[in-house]
Amino acid sequence: KAVEIKVKGLVQGVGFRPFVYRLAKGHSLDGWVKNASDGVYIRLQGDQQNIDAFLSGLQTQAPIASSLESISIAVSEKDSYAGFAIKKSDGASSGITQVSPDIAVCAECLADMKRQAHRLDYPFVNCTHCGPRFSIIRDLPYDREHTTMDEFSMCSTCRSEYTNIEDRRFHAQPVACNTCGPRYRLHIQGRMVDDLQEILTSMATLIDQGGIIAVKGIGGFFLMCDALNEEAVHRLRNSKLREGKPFAVMFRDISAAGRYAGMSKDEMKEMQGWQRPIVLLRLNRPLAPSVCSGFPTVGAMLPYMPIHYMIFEKLKQDVVALTSGNLSDEPIVTGNREALEVLGGISDAVLTYNREIHNRVDDSVSMVVNGEPRIIRRSRGYAPSPVFLDADAESIFAAGAELNNVFCIGKDRQAILSQHIGDLKNFETYEFYLESVDRFKRLFRVNPVLAACDLHPDYLSSAFARNMGIPVVEIQHHHAHVASCMAEHGLNEKVIGVAFDGTGYGADGTIWGSEFMVADYLGFERRAHLEYIPLPGGDSVTKEPWRIAISLLYKIYGKKIDELPLDWLRKIDPKKKRIIIESIDRNINCPLSCSAGRWFDAVASITGICVESSFHAEAPMRLEAAIDPNEQGHYPWTITEQGLISLEPAIRAIVEDTITGMRSSKISARFHRTILQIISHSVMKIADETGLRKVVISGGTFQNRFLLENLLPAFGNSGLNIYLQRKLPSNDGGIALGQLAVAAERRKSIGTEFTKDNIRE
């Protein structure tokens, strides 16, 4: 028999063709395999039994980093094949296959650094199972001439491996060795060091003595220092203008991580996966205080580049503090010259190498909740792997949100999400956004004919979409959150949607963020939400949560607010307090908000846990960190028939508990349990009214571990199916997927003729 097979999915740059070759040879099949832009094609000829065995192995034995979306099989004409071959890539198709994310160095390559003569201590070792991929690719198909490795000519030894079908490095595009590959250079004290052993010794000595080093990673530079040296970490924090935001750490190995942080088996598995994300763990042994800034958790990771392992071989300590190589909220630095200019003043040395980073990629962040890994920031190791949709998303561009921006493009039924971009209010980050959009359009051969964006009139991402010169679907922020979770789970029906976050432009022109809705991709009906409160000073309340607390207390207590014996309230400048109250009375720069995030801010301030924020979402994070897990109480609240939820009774009780000296940890736990009660009660009420049984929950508030751990128990034996996001962030980093899914379904429902009237939410 003869068959032709087409495989779509993540099948390039992961050793898939050599795997197919060995599988075919093992089953005595003739034919060939080749890469094309829209997938991998296989022609097989042989006994039907052997073909069946091949097809079974294709799905069960594929390389660990591969992901098979679809396998199509067609009967073919028999031909005169002699053996099995790997044919030259075909790049003519306008379709695309998936681009592999960057993959952590594998154990076999680490072993090769100790046993292969031409790779002894070679810090860029890689094979078809590991190494840089997305960060170095310029074009498809994934061949060396389309990567930043094109300027390095292979030596005869590497060439023989590259062309040997039986070798692990067969067609490993970044293949290199000490003779022919990229090299490191250390810039230290006005001189340049090229000898690797001297580089490693100098770096280890510097870190052990409290120094800071800027190191070129896979997707950009990072800054490194001793995580046990408070003076070094404090200096790094001040130099980076990082203020209170925690740093991540890298441990020597999983055993070292276990000595400092509590880990479940699922967390250990997540840390050791080939994506190597930063994983949020609970500390059980102290690091330098400035690493975690008072939080009981730490973002921990393991080495994923050969150079990481080599540095730890020289270091005395088992853990280093790591942070992205940038200033404040600017994009991570990727170029050598820029690193010397920008990071040279922060660090005591800069480690560069002479291969270009084409695509900037930050580290990814995840946490494990109830045994399930959940992505918080999706970048290195995950981007640009797609999500598969029910609807055709071809040539749709989704602009994403303003904060934690990730954009998305549609190709066939694939939603291809970008790496983490960041806060577009920062000019340099917006430039990174524009550059990345252009690169994705070229790389994936997409010429957008329809754009999707947030309803907000002032988002830069939305302005970009509106100026593309093509029809635009404007989508309400929280509808997009719900649609994102629906798309991740393959749902295409009416659901009960819950979207809690900090800010989202509402359909009525106010600020939403505590939405209970009945929704599908085509639209939504808002069924309930928290009551509105004025935000004196607008966006400034996120940095000064005490403003929201005063607004809320003034609404409840009126002029008696001055009589409340709250320590933090007494410390507020009376003039500032008077101006805020006057602005509320006169409705001057006091937009209304029902955002759940602002209620968390207010409670954090009322209890004195966080009165001023030094970084985004600090107040809710510190409120969560304060929880007493043994406290089972909750506070009173009310809901009207129209779905207006009032927390005024809860706030009165919180103020009373604070005044009478109840521990803030108990108050925090009770408030969190109140939110859980509100969610479960409101959802079950909507379920009773509509008969809907599927509940989709999204939004940045649900990065709160306590809420996630207790959501399912809060619903008890309700019989509802609860869907939470796992593979994509529930924060604004996942919102572009929802925008794309809505636009695709909207286009499907109304045909190809678009006007502003029929596509505006």
Side-chain angles (χ1 to χ4, degrees), residues 282 294-297 609 618-629 665 668 672 704:
R282 182 166 288 275
F295 286 95
T297 55
I609 289 173
E618 180 179 4
M621 289 171 63
R622 293 204 181 277
L623 187 65
E624 178 196 352
I627 290 173
D628 176 355
S665 59
S668 176
H672 278 81
N704 183 306

Side-chain angles (χ1 to χ4, degrees), residues 81 130 147 152 172 193 269 282 365 374 494 499 541 607 633 686 699:
Y81 300 119
C130 71
T147 74
F152 298 95
V193 180
K269 182 179 178 181
R282 182 166 288 275
V365 183
R374 300 188 186 278
K494 282 195 181 296
V541 298
T607 56
I686 297 170

Side-chain angles (χ1 to χ4, degrees), residues 434-487:
L434 299 178
E435 172 191 272
S436 299
V437 169
D438 186 56
R439 288 182 177 179
F440 266 61
K441 286 161 59 179
R442 291 200 315 271
L443 179 61
F444 295 108
R445 296 167 172 81
V446 171
N447 184 24
V449 298
L450 176 65
C453 70
D454 195 278
L455 199 61
H456 199 293
D458 298 325
Y459 276 5
L460 287 173
S461 56
S462 298
F464 174 80
R466 295 183 186 111
N467 291 327
M468 291 178 74
I470 56 178
V472 180
V473 181
E474 296 182 341
I475 300 158
Q476 199 280 322
H477 189 87
H478 302 95
H479 183 203
H481 268 307
V482 170
S484 175
C485 190
M486 290 174 63

